[in-house]
Structures are given as structure tokens and as C-alpha cells.
Amino acid sequence: MRLHWTPAILAGLALALLPWTGASAVTGPPDGHAAGGVCYGTACDGKDPADTGCTENSYTVRSGGVLVRAYAFGGYVELRYGPGQLVGGRRTCQVNWARFVKQGQGADYNVWVQRRPARAIAGSDKRLTQYSGGDEGTGVIYSDQVYAADVPAMACVERAPLGRTGPERAARTAADAPVCTIAI
């Protein structure tokens, strides 16, 4: 039996495949609001880069050809950037996040990215997103993201305080101190 490709069958097939072709009439939500896993502007702050699609085409930031990376706790923390893509004339993502790659398992860490204002103002740095905990056996821990298209950002890691609070937390050693990349 031979299948006949009538215009109606071809039109139905084209409509069925349309969502996978990348064709879209979406122009992006107004005022930076996130929609359907995509984010714009500061609506990206505090979200998981994988959930928003911002890890697509992402890379470790470079300064003068050198990876923006700091070595700490038997591994390294690096500043990642998700450039996003043009959707309806607007660019999605444009975010940074911290990724800590460690050797071995067993300790918990706090990992965060912080945005710095274009002009340095005393006390203006703020820890915007943080992930605390283990790596679930992968050796990689990453923070949530921040929109930082036009301001420097830096990635940081510290050993988690192991349940210590108050004065006990202050008793941490220099070996537990936070380690950050340069701000770029």
C-alpha cells in the first residue's frame, strides 16, 4: 500500500512539527517578567540557571584570556555567564552564577554569586544568591543566577559552618574563610 501525501496531510504534519522547529511568535514578556522558563533582566535573579535555559551556550568568564577562577578547598570556584538569545528583539538571560568544582566528597559548602555596582560604594556588595549543601555525589555545586549584563559580578565559596551559629560560627578558622574570584 502506498501512502498519498495530500495537501491536508502535509499541512497537518507541518502544524504538528511547528513547536520543534524553533518558530515562535513570542515577543517576550514586558517589564522583565519570566515566562515559561525564560527570563529577562532582573526577573532572572535568584533562579536556577538550568531551569531558565540560561546554561545554553554558557561559558566560564575570561579576563585577559584567563579563566575567572579561584582555587579553594581542594577545588575551584568560577564565574559562569549565560548570554541568552534574542527572542522577539530582546535578549534573554545575560546572567552570572558561581560554580564550585571540588575533589572528593564529604564536606558542605556555601556557593554564591554577587553583583557589584558599576561605581564602588562602601557596603554595596550584597550576597544575592546562595546554595548551601552537598553536591549529591557529582563534585559540582552551583549557585542561582543574577542578571549582570552591565555590572561586574564575582563568584564565591566557603566551607559551610557545619551547623554552627552565633559565637560558634565566629570561631571558624582562616581555612574556612570565603574565597572569591575577581569581579568582572
Short mmCIF file of all heavy atoms in Angstrom, two decimals, residues 10-63:
data_model
loop_
_atom_site.label_atom_id
_atom_site.label_comp_id
_atom_site.label_asym_id
_atom_site.label_seq_id
_atom_site.Cartn_x
_atom_site.Cartn_y
_atom_site.Cartn_z
N LEU A 10 0.00 17.02 4.55
CA LEU A 10 1.22 17.81 4.68
C LEU A 10 1.02 19.01 5.60
O LEU A 10 1.88 19.33 6.42
CB LEU A 10 1.71 18.26 3.31
CG LEU A 10 2.25 17.14 2.40
CD1 LEU A 10 2.56 17.69 1.02
CD2 LEU A 10 3.47 16.50 3.02
N ALA A 11 -0.12 19.67 5.50
CA ALA A 11 -0.40 20.82 6.37
C ALA A 11 -0.52 20.38 7.82
O ALA A 11 0.00 21.04 8.73
CB ALA A 11 -1.69 21.52 5.92
N GLY A 12 -1.17 19.27 8.07
CA GLY A 12 -1.30 18.75 9.43
C GLY A 12 0.05 18.37 10.01
O GLY A 12 0.34 18.63 11.18
N LEU A 13 0.90 17.75 9.20
CA LEU A 13 2.23 17.38 9.64
C LEU A 13 3.06 18.63 9.96
O LEU A 13 3.77 18.67 10.97
CB LEU A 13 2.92 16.54 8.55
CG LEU A 13 4.32 16.02 8.89
CD1 LEU A 13 4.27 15.12 10.12
CD2 LEU A 13 4.88 15.25 7.71
N ALA A 14 2.97 19.64 9.14
CA ALA A 14 3.71 20.88 9.37
C ALA A 14 3.27 21.54 10.68
O ALA A 14 4.10 22.02 11.46
CB ALA A 14 3.52 21.85 8.21
N LEU A 15 1.97 21.57 10.96
CA LEU A 15 1.48 22.14 12.21
C LEU A 15 1.91 21.32 13.41
O LEU A 15 2.24 21.86 14.47
CB LEU A 15 -0.05 22.25 12.18
CG LEU A 15 -0.60 23.39 11.32
CD1 LEU A 15 -2.12 23.32 11.25
CD2 LEU A 15 -0.16 24.73 11.85
N ALA A 16 1.94 20.01 13.27
CA ALA A 16 2.35 19.15 14.37
C ALA A 16 3.82 19.33 14.71
O ALA A 16 4.23 19.23 15.86
CB ALA A 16 2.06 17.68 14.03
N LEU A 17 4.66 19.60 13.71
CA LEU A 17 6.09 19.75 13.93
C LEU A 17 6.52 21.16 14.27
O LEU A 17 7.65 21.40 14.67
CB LEU A 17 6.87 19.28 12.69
CG LEU A 17 6.78 17.78 12.40
CD1 LEU A 17 7.49 17.46 11.09
CD2 LEU A 17 7.36 16.97 13.54
N LEU A 18 5.64 22.15 14.14
CA LEU A 18 5.97 23.55 14.35
C LEU A 18 6.65 23.82 15.69
O LEU A 18 7.64 24.53 15.75
CB LEU A 18 4.73 24.43 14.20
CG LEU A 18 4.97 25.94 14.29
CD1 LEU A 18 5.92 26.37 13.18
CD2 LEU A 18 3.66 26.68 14.19
N PRO A 19 6.19 23.26 16.83
CA PRO A 19 6.87 23.56 18.09
C PRO A 19 8.33 23.12 18.13
O PRO A 19 9.11 23.67 18.88
CB PRO A 19 6.06 22.78 19.13
CG PRO A 19 4.73 22.57 18.50
CD PRO A 19 4.99 22.46 17.03
N TRP A 20 8.75 22.15 17.33
CA TRP A 20 10.14 21.69 17.35
C TRP A 20 11.02 22.41 16.35
O TRP A 20 12.20 22.20 16.31
CB TRP A 20 10.19 20.18 17.09
CG TRP A 20 9.59 19.44 18.23
CD1 TRP A 20 10.20 19.13 19.41
CD2 TRP A 20 8.27 18.94 18.33
NE1 TRP A 20 9.34 18.47 20.23
CE2 TRP A 20 8.15 18.33 19.59
CE3 TRP A 20 7.16 18.93 17.49
CZ2 TRP A 20 6.96 17.74 20.02
CZ3 TRP A 20 6.00 18.33 17.92
CH2 TRP A 20 5.91 17.75 19.17
N THR A 21 10.48 23.27 15.54
CA THR A 21 11.28 23.93 14.52
C THR A 21 11.95 25.18 15.04
O THR A 21 12.77 25.77 14.37
CB THR A 21 10.43 24.32 13.30
OG1 THR A 21 9.44 25.26 13.72
CG2 THR A 21 9.79 23.10 12.68
N GLY A 22 11.57 25.63 16.25
CA GLY A 22 12.14 26.85 16.78
C GLY A 22 11.34 28.07 16.38
O GLY A 22 11.64 29.17 16.79
N ALA A 23 10.32 27.92 15.54
CA ALA A 23 9.50 29.05 15.14
C ALA A 23 8.65 29.47 16.33
O ALA A 23 8.12 28.66 17.06
CB ALA A 23 8.59 28.66 13.97
N SER A 24 8.55 30.77 16.53
CA SER A 24 7.79 31.28 17.65
C SER A 24 7.34 32.70 17.37
O SER A 24 8.08 33.48 16.80
CB SER A 24 8.64 31.24 18.91
OG SER A 24 7.97 31.84 19.97
N ALA A 25 6.16 33.01 17.82
CA ALA A 25 5.66 34.37 17.70
C ALA A 25 5.78 35.10 19.03
O ALA A 25 5.31 36.21 19.17
CB ALA A 25 4.19 34.34 17.26
N VAL A 26 6.44 34.50 20.02
CA VAL A 26 6.58 35.11 21.33
C VAL A 26 7.52 36.30 21.23
O VAL A 26 8.61 36.20 20.68
CB VAL A 26 7.13 34.08 22.34
CG1 VAL A 26 7.37 34.74 23.68
CG2 VAL A 26 6.17 32.92 22.48
N THR A 27 7.12 37.44 21.74
CA THR A 27 7.96 38.63 21.71
C THR A 27 8.63 38.88 23.04
O THR A 27 9.38 39.82 23.18
CB THR A 27 7.12 39.87 21.34
OG1 THR A 27 6.11 40.03 22.34
CG2 THR A 27 6.52 39.73 19.98
N GLY A 28 8.38 38.03 24.02
CA GLY A 28 8.98 38.22 25.33
C GLY A 28 8.05 39.00 26.22
O GLY A 28 7.36 39.91 25.78
N PRO A 29 8.00 38.66 27.48
CA PRO A 29 7.10 39.33 28.39
C PRO A 29 7.55 40.75 28.69
O PRO A 29 8.75 41.04 28.65
CB PRO A 29 7.16 38.46 29.64
CG PRO A 29 8.44 37.75 29.55
CD PRO A 29 8.75 37.60 28.10
N PRO A 30 6.63 41.65 28.98
CA PRO A 30 7.01 43.03 29.29
C PRO A 30 7.64 43.14 30.67
O PRO A 30 7.45 42.29 31.52
CB PRO A 30 5.67 43.77 29.25
CG PRO A 30 4.65 42.72 29.60
CD PRO A 30 5.20 41.44 29.02
N ASP A 31 8.38 44.20 30.89
CA ASP A 31 8.92 44.53 32.20
C ASP A 31 9.80 43.45 32.81
O ASP A 31 9.89 43.34 34.03
CB ASP A 31 7.80 44.89 33.18
CG ASP A 31 6.95 46.04 32.66
OD1 ASP A 31 7.53 46.94 32.04
OD2 ASP A 31 5.74 46.00 32.87
N GLY A 32 10.43 42.61 32.01
CA GLY A 32 11.40 41.64 32.51
C GLY A 32 10.82 40.44 33.23
O GLY A 32 11.55 39.69 33.84
N HIS A 33 9.52 40.23 33.19
CA HIS A 33 8.93 39.08 33.89
C HIS A 33 9.27 37.79 33.18
O HIS A 33 9.31 37.73 31.97
CB HIS A 33 7.41 39.24 34.01
CG HIS A 33 7.02 40.41 34.85
ND1 HIS A 33 7.37 40.53 36.17
CD2 HIS A 33 6.33 41.52 34.55
CE1 HIS A 33 6.90 41.66 36.65
NE2 HIS A 33 6.28 42.29 35.69
N ALA A 34 9.51 36.75 33.96
CA ALA A 34 9.83 35.45 33.41
C ALA A 34 8.56 34.77 32.92
O ALA A 34 7.49 34.93 33.49
CB ALA A 34 10.51 34.58 34.46
N ALA A 35 8.68 34.03 31.84
CA ALA A 35 7.54 33.28 31.31
C ALA A 35 8.04 31.97 30.73
O ALA A 35 8.95 31.95 29.94
CB ALA A 35 6.83 34.08 30.23
N GLY A 36 7.45 30.88 31.15
CA GLY A 36 7.77 29.58 30.57
C GLY A 36 9.22 29.19 30.66
O GLY A 36 9.77 28.64 29.72
N GLY A 37 9.90 29.49 31.76
CA GLY A 37 11.29 29.10 31.93
C GLY A 37 12.29 30.06 31.32
O GLY A 37 13.47 29.87 31.45
N VAL A 38 11.84 31.10 30.66
CA VAL A 38 12.72 32.10 30.07
C VAL A 38 12.68 33.33 30.98
O VAL A 38 11.65 33.66 31.53
CB VAL A 38 12.24 32.49 28.65
CG1 VAL A 38 13.06 33.62 28.08
CG2 VAL A 38 12.31 31.28 27.74
N CYS A 39 13.83 34.01 31.14
CA CYS A 39 13.82 35.21 31.97
C CYS A 39 14.52 36.36 31.26
O CYS A 39 15.35 36.16 30.38
CB CYS A 39 14.44 34.95 33.33
SG CYS A 39 16.19 34.56 33.30
N TYR A 40 14.13 37.57 31.69
CA TYR A 40 14.67 38.81 31.15
C TYR A 40 15.04 39.71 32.31
O TYR A 40 14.30 39.81 33.29
CB TYR A 40 13.63 39.53 30.30
CG TYR A 40 13.17 38.77 29.09
CD1 TYR A 40 12.16 37.84 29.19
CD2 TYR A 40 13.74 39.00 27.86
CE1 TYR A 40 11.74 37.13 28.08
CE2 TYR A 40 13.33 38.30 26.74
CZ TYR A 40 12.33 37.37 26.86
OH TYR A 40 11.92 36.67 25.76
N GLY A 41 16.19 40.39 32.21
CA GLY A 41 16.57 41.39 33.21
C GLY A 41 16.63 40.83 34.62
O GLY A 41 16.98 39.67 34.84
N THR A 42 16.25 41.66 35.58
CA THR A 42 16.34 41.27 36.98
C THR A 42 15.33 40.20 37.37
O THR A 42 15.42 39.64 38.46
CB THR A 42 16.18 42.49 37.91
OG1 THR A 42 14.94 43.14 37.60
CG2 THR A 42 17.34 43.46 37.74
N ALA A 43 14.39 39.86 36.48
CA ALA A 43 13.49 38.73 36.75
C ALA A 43 14.27 37.42 36.76
O ALA A 43 13.76 36.40 37.21
CB ALA A 43 12.37 38.68 35.72
N CYS A 44 15.52 37.44 36.27
CA CYS A 44 16.38 36.25 36.30
C CYS A 44 17.01 36.03 37.67
O CYS A 44 17.45 34.93 37.97
CB CYS A 44 17.50 36.40 35.27
SG CYS A 44 16.96 36.47 33.55
N ASP A 45 17.07 37.07 38.51
CA ASP A 45 17.72 36.99 39.81
C ASP A 45 17.13 35.88 40.66
O ASP A 45 15.91 35.75 40.76
CB ASP A 45 17.60 38.31 40.58
CG ASP A 45 18.49 39.40 40.03
OD1 ASP A 45 19.31 39.12 39.14
OD2 ASP A 45 18.35 40.55 40.49
N GLY A 46 18.02 35.10 41.28
CA GLY A 46 17.59 34.08 42.23
C GLY A 46 17.00 32.83 41.63
O GLY A 46 16.49 31.98 42.34
N LYS A 47 17.09 32.66 40.32
CA LYS A 47 16.55 31.47 39.66
C LYS A 47 17.68 30.50 39.30
O LYS A 47 18.82 30.91 39.12
CB LYS A 47 15.77 31.86 38.43
CG LYS A 47 14.49 32.62 38.75
CD LYS A 47 13.70 32.90 37.49
CE LYS A 47 12.35 33.48 37.78
NZ LYS A 47 12.29 34.59 38.68
N ASP A 48 17.34 29.24 39.16
CA ASP A 48 18.29 28.21 38.77
C ASP A 48 18.61 28.40 37.28
O ASP A 48 17.69 28.42 36.46
CB ASP A 48 17.66 26.84 39.02
CG ASP A 48 18.59 25.68 38.74
OD1 ASP A 48 19.38 25.75 37.77
OD2 ASP A 48 18.52 24.70 39.47
N PRO A 49 19.88 28.55 36.91
CA PRO A 49 20.22 28.77 35.50
C PRO A 49 19.76 27.62 34.59
O PRO A 49 19.41 27.86 33.43
CB PRO A 49 21.73 28.92 35.49
CG PRO A 49 22.21 28.57 36.83
CD PRO A 49 21.06 28.56 37.77
N ALA A 50 19.72 26.41 35.10
CA ALA A 50 19.27 25.28 34.28
C ALA A 50 17.77 25.37 34.02
O ALA A 50 17.30 25.05 32.93
CB ALA A 50 19.62 23.96 34.95
N ASP A 51 16.99 25.80 35.02
CA ASP A 51 15.54 25.88 34.86
C ASP A 51 15.12 26.98 33.89
O ASP A 51 14.06 26.89 33.28
CB ASP A 51 14.86 26.13 36.21
CG ASP A 51 14.93 24.93 37.13
OD1 ASP A 51 15.29 23.81 36.66
OD2 ASP A 51 14.64 25.09 38.33
N THR A 52 15.93 28.03 33.75
CA THR A 52 15.57 29.14 32.86
C THR A 52 16.17 28.99 31.47
O THR A 52 15.94 29.83 30.61
CB THR A 52 16.07 30.48 33.45
OG1 THR A 52 17.48 30.40 33.64
CG2 THR A 52 15.37 30.81 34.75
N GLY A 53 16.95 27.94 31.25
CA GLY A 53 17.58 27.75 29.95
C GLY A 53 18.83 28.60 29.77
O GLY A 53 19.40 28.64 28.68
N CYS A 54 19.26 29.29 30.82
CA CYS A 54 20.41 30.19 30.71
C CYS A 54 21.74 29.45 30.64
O CYS A 54 22.77 30.07 30.37
CB CYS A 54 20.39 31.20 31.85
SG CYS A 54 19.00 32.35 31.76
N THR A 55 21.75 28.14 30.86
CA THR A 55 23.00 27.39 30.73
C THR A 55 23.34 27.11 29.28
O THR A 55 24.48 26.77 28.96
CB THR A 55 22.93 26.06 31.50
OG1 THR A 55 21.82 25.30 31.02
CG2 THR A 55 22.80 26.29 32.99
N GLU A 56 22.36 27.25 28.38
CA GLU A 56 22.61 27.02 26.96
C GLU A 56 23.63 28.04 26.46
O GLU A 56 23.49 29.24 26.68
CB GLU A 56 21.32 27.15 26.16
CG GLU A 56 21.49 26.81 24.70
CD GLU A 56 20.17 26.81 23.95
OE1 GLU A 56 19.12 26.59 24.56
OE2 GLU A 56 20.23 27.04 22.73
N ASN A 57 24.68 27.57 25.83
CA ASN A 57 25.78 28.41 25.32
C ASN A 57 26.52 29.15 26.43
O ASN A 57 27.18 30.15 26.16
CB ASN A 57 25.28 29.40 24.26
CG ASN A 57 24.70 28.70 23.06
OD1 ASN A 57 25.25 27.72 22.58
ND2 ASN A 57 23.56 29.18 22.59
N SER A 58 26.42 28.70 27.67
CA SER A 58 27.10 29.37 28.77
C SER A 58 28.59 29.02 28.75
O SER A 58 29.01 28.05 28.12
CB SER A 58 26.48 28.98 30.10
OG SER A 58 26.67 27.61 30.36
N TYR A 59 29.35 29.83 29.44
CA TYR A 59 30.78 29.61 29.48
C TYR A 59 31.38 30.22 30.75
O TYR A 59 30.75 31.05 31.40
CB TYR A 59 31.47 30.20 28.24
CG TYR A 59 31.16 31.66 28.01
CD1 TYR A 59 31.93 32.66 28.58
CD2 TYR A 59 30.09 32.04 27.20
CE1 TYR A 59 31.65 34.00 28.36
CE2 TYR A 59 29.80 33.38 26.97
CZ TYR A 59 30.59 34.36 27.55
OH TYR A 59 30.31 35.68 27.34
N THR A 60 32.61 29.81 31.07
CA THR A 60 33.35 30.42 32.17
C THR A 60 33.92 31.73 31.65
O THR A 60 34.53 31.78 30.59
CB THR A 60 34.47 29.48 32.66
OG1 THR A 60 33.87 28.26 33.11
CG2 THR A 60 35.25 30.10 33.80
N VAL A 61 33.71 32.80 32.41
CA VAL A 61 34.15 34.14 32.02
C VAL A 61 35.68 34.17 31.96
O VAL A 61 36.36 33.48 32.73
CB VAL A 61 33.63 35.17 33.05
CG1 VAL A 61 34.16 36.57 32.76
CG2 VAL A 61 32.11 35.17 33.07
N ARG A 62 36.20 34.95 31.03
CA ARG A 62 37.65 35.13 30.89
C ARG A 62 37.99 36.60 31.07
O ARG A 62 37.22 37.48 30.71
CB ARG A 62 38.11 34.70 29.49
CG ARG A 62 38.03 33.21 29.28
CD ARG A 62 38.50 32.84 27.86
NE ARG A 62 38.48 31.42 27.66
CZ ARG A 62 39.50 30.61 27.90
NH1 ARG A 62 40.64 31.10 28.33
NH2 ARG A 62 39.39 29.32 27.70
N SER A 63 39.16 36.84 31.62
CA SER A 63 39.70 38.19 31.74
C SER A 63 41.11 38.15 31.18
O SER A 63 41.95 37.42 31.70
CB SER A 63 39.71 38.62 33.21
OG SER A 63 40.32 39.89 33.34
#
